[in-house]
């Protein structure tokens, strides 16, 4: 109704807000592909209306939805489109956040060099515009990149920087996430001292303003901790919590990993029926994530093919241009030759 009313009075900005509202509703209902159709319409309206704040939110939402669907190239396209727009308008705070999001795309695609490049740029811009969320997120992300490539010393150094920064600036959500990451790192190194203290700190930060990802991440680390301590029943309770939260909030990766762990546990103790139920759910989730990955690969191959077609078209155009230039040169020589012959004929006629 609102789209129709806005259309009838020519209010492009209001129409965009209605489109964005519909897209947001579909996003919350996890109907991601439908959400993207409405968000695309909203982005066009906000671009025409010059509403930079809402355009940023829309393009960012598009990137998040494409990333969730497993389309990194399209997510990157949305982020880069927004980045170009806000660089042109001089909105440094939005540029910093988008740069961090682009780093995450490359991080997920296992390209540590490019991920680190964008994370560092985001960190520097975040410090410049005094955006604690960007600074904190970038520090944690840089630390995780170093840990992924086995640079443990540098990884710990940046995570410690992030920890100190969060405490000083009260970045509750990121501090909760970072405490979980720190605790998991300690468990991986076989050092269980201080793990519970970090997880309790994570819970305090979540209560102060953390998010669901911090909560499900904390239960996951509790499970790892209890496993390392040999307390299997406590670990299973923690994995049950992971599955419950992840299922409710559609956090597919956590949900899948939780189902896998519960399947292994019930199989070990001989509870075949429960083990089979968890295994079936694990397979469904794994296939779902693989379908997303395959779709992403198909999309990437299509993009490569499209690029090759463009290169061929460019090469053909260049060849056509070269042949046209040769033909023009030949025509010029022919016209010049005919001109000389004509002048010579005229001189001869005058002489006769």
């Amino acid at each position: 109704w609102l789209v129709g009313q806005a259309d009838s009075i020519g209010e492009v900005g209001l129409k965009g807000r209605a489109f964005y509202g519909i897209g947001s509703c579909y996003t919350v209902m996890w109907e991601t592909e439908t959400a993207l159709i409405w968000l695309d319409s909203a982005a066009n309206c906000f671009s025409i209306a010059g509403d930079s704040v809402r355009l940023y939110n829309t393009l960012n939402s598009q990137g998040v939805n494409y990333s969730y669907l497993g389309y990194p190239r399209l997510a990157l396209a949305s982020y880069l489109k927004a980045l170009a727009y806000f660089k042109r308008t001089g909105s440094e705070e939005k540029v910093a956040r988008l740069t961090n999001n682009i780093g995450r795309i490359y991080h997920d695609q296992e390209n540590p060099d490019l991920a680190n490049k964008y994370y560092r740029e985001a960190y520097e811009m975040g410090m410049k515009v005094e955006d604690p969320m960007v600074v904190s997120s970038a520090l944690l992300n840089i630390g995780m990149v170093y840990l992924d490539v086995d640079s443990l010393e540098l990884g710990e150094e940046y995570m410690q920087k992030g920890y100190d920064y969060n405490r000083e600036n009260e970045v509750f959500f990121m501090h909760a996430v970072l405490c979980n990451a720190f605790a998991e790192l300690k468990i991986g190194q076989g050092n269980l001292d201080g793990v519970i203290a970090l997880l309790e700190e994570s819970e305090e930060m979540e209560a102060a303003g953390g998010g669901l990802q911090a909560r499900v991440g904390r239960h996951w680390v509790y499970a790892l901790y209890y496993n390392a301590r040999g307390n299997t029943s406590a670990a299973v309770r923690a994995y049950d919590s992971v599955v419950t939260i992840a299922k409710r909030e559609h956090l597919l990766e956590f949900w899948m990993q939780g189902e896998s762990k519960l399947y292994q546990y019930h199989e070990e103790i001989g509870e075949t029926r429960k083990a089979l139920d968890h295994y079936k759910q694990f397979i469904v989730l794994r296939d779902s994530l693989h379908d997303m990955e395959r779709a992403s690969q198909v999309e990437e191959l299509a993009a490569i093919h499209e690029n090759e077609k463009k290169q061929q078209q460019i090469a053909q155009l260049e060849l056509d241009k070269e042949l046209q230039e040769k033909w023009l040169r030949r025509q010029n020589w022919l016209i010049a030759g005919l001109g000389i012959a004509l002048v010579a004929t005229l001189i001869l006629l005058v002489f006769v």
Side-chain angles (χ1 to χ4, degrees), residues 25-32 64-65 67-70 212-213 216 241-257 259 281 284-285 288-289 292:
C25 288
Y26 281 115
T27 299
V28 171
M29 293 189 290
W30 299 100
E31 295 184 31
T32 312
V64 170
N65 277 291
S67 186
Y68 172 76
L69 279 174
L212 287 164
Q213 281 191 320
V216 74
S241 297
V242 168
V243 167
T244 301
I245 299 168
K247 183 178 180 179
R248 186 177 66 236
E249 303 301 331
H250 291 262
L251 302 171
L252 297 187
E253 193 69 43
F254 275 118
W255 185 4
M256 181 185 75
Q257 296 299 334
E259 295 286 1
Q281 188 62 64
V284 169
L285 291 166
S288 175
L289 286 168
M292 290 181 189

Side-chain angles (χ1 to χ4, degrees), residues 7 10 22-23 26 33 54 87 138 181 185 201 225 239 241 262 269 275 288 303 307 314 349:
D7 215 11
I22 296 168
Y26 281 115
E33 291 177 349
R54 289 190 173 90
K87 275 187 175 177
L185 177 62
E201 190 174 350
Y225 172 77
Y239 285 131
S241 297
L262 289 171
I269 64 172
S288 175
N307 187 52
I314 290 168
L349 285 170

Side-chain angles (χ1 to χ4, degrees), residues 58-309:
T58 305
L59 291 170
N60 203 44
S61 292
Q62 283 181 312
V64 170
N65 277 291
Y66 279 129
S67 186
Y68 172 76
L69 279 174
Y71 298 145
R73 194 176 288 272
L74 292 173
L76 193 60
S78 292
Y79 289 144
L80 289 173
K81 193 190 297 182
L83 189 68
Y85 180 86
F86 288 106
K87 275 187 175 177
R88 197 164 60 245
T89 58
S91 305
E92 291 183 317
E93 185 178 340
K94 292 180 174 61
V95 168
R97 294 192 173 210
L98 285 162
T99 304
N100 200 39
N101 288 347
I102 291 167
R104 283 200 197 99
I105 295 289
Y106 286 120
H107 197 165
D108 291 341
Q109 294 299 296
E110 298 180 1
N111 190 333
D113 293 334
L114 273 176
N116 224 350
K117 172 183 176 292
Y118 279 98
Y119 286 150
R120 286 179 178 279
E121 286 180 14
Y123 169 72
E124 288 167 9
M125 282 189 282
M127 289 294 285
K128 182 181 176 183
V129 299
E130 298 179 350
D131 187 333
M133 185 62 79
V134 171
V135 174
S136 173
S137 178
L139 285 170
L140 173 60
N141 290 333
I142 293 168
M144 296 304 291
V145 168
Y146 280 125
L147 291 176
D148 289 345
V149 296
D150 295 327
S151 296
L152 298 181
E153 194 173 321
L154 282 169
E156 286 187 64
E157 178 189 331
Y158 275 93
M159 288 176 74
Q160 185 63 54
K161 281 183 180 178
Y163 181 89
D164 296 338
Y165 181 86
N166 292 342
R167 294 287 291 181
E168 184 180 344
N169 293 276
E170 298 183 340
V171 190
F172 300 121
F173 167 66
M174 285 309 305
H175 195 60
V177 171
L178 193 140
C179 285
N180 294 340
F182 240 146
E184 188 171 353
L185 177 62
K186 279 178 171 289
I187 294 167
Q189 293 173 335
N191 177 15
L192 301 183
D193 294 337
V195 168
I196 292 296
L198 281 166
L199 292 174
E200 287 173 350
E201 190 174 350
S202 168
E203 190 169 3
E204 288 173 19
M205 293 300 104
E206 184 206 323
L212 287 164
Q213 281 191 320
R215 185 186 305 172
V216 74
R218 187 176 66 257
H219 284 292
W220 177 263
V221 180
Y222 265 122
L224 297 178
Y225 172 77
Y226 288 128
N227 260 334
R229 301 282 300 192
N231 189 344
T232 310
S233 58
V236 168
R237 285 196 298 274
Y239 285 131
D240 270 326
S241 297
V242 168
V243 167
T244 301
I245 299 168
K247 183 178 180 179
R248 186 177 66 236
E249 303 301 331
H250 291 262
L251 302 171
L252 297 187
E253 193 69 43
F254 275 118
W255 185 4
M256 181 185 75
Q257 296 299 334
E259 295 286 1
S260 173
K261 293 291 186 182
L262 289 171
Y263 151 68
Q264 291 169 22
Y265 167 72
H266 288 295
E267 188 180 44
E268 284 172 10
I269 64 172
E271 292 185 349
T272 313
R273 191 176 202 58
K274 284 186 177 180
L276 185 60
D277 288 342
H278 288 297
Y279 183 71
K280 283 178 180 176
Q281 188 62 64
F282 165 74
I283 292 298
V284 169
L285 291 166
R286 186 195 64 184
D287 290 348
S288 175
L289 286 168
H290 283 184
D291 286 344
M292 290 181 189
E293 190 176 337
R294 280 196 293 272
S296 178
Q297 289 169 351
V298 168
E299 174 213 329
E300 190 165 347
L301 288 171
I304 291 169
H305 178 64
E306 189 64 31
N307 187 52
E308 286 174 352
K309 278 172 60 181

